[in-house]
Amino acid sequence: MKVPEGKTIILTIVSHQMKDERLRWAVNITFKGGLEGSDAILPITVEDGLGQPIPAAVFEFAGKDLRVRDGKSSMTYGDFIKGKHKPGIWLKRRGEEPVPGSLTFA
């Protein structure tokens, strides 16, 4: 697959609703225009329910545990394709229960 030049596709994944907004989260995975090849890097941003970058966590997605630092992570396009049908989307933060999430459409 190749993302058309001049287009950007962003997948947004959000947590299930939590009473404490700090435990909620939103993840954006960006597919930049012209992206192609399994080694292409997909930048990922991770924010809490207040819109602040999450300093440290593990984002479980597409069968991978992706390390989050300062609200950022990444994965290769090849890993995304390999794991696109794997269940389980979680954000895991030290000292907190893991919080599940799901893909959303705006």
Side-chain angles (χ1 to χ4, degrees), residues 4-67:
E5 291 289 337
K7 292 265 187 186
T8 297
I9 299 168
I10 299 174
L11 291 183
T12 300
I13 301 166
V14 296
S15 67
H16 293 185
Q17 290 297 315
M18 303 291 292
K19 191 172 194 172
D20 184 344
E21 288 186 0
R22 292 172 299 141
L23 297 178
R24 295 178 191 175
W25 53 266
V27 168
N28 289 307
I29 303 171
T30 302
F31 296 76
K32 294 180 181 178
L35 175 106
E36 69 178 305
S38 63
D39 292 336
I41 301 296
L42 305 175
I44 299 171
T45 59
V46 185
E47 295 181 342
D48 66 18
L50 300 171
Q52 298 300 309
I54 292 178
V58 172
F59 178 51
E60 181 183 328
F61 177 70
K64 294 282 185 190
D65 283 339
L66 305 170
R67 178 190 233 176

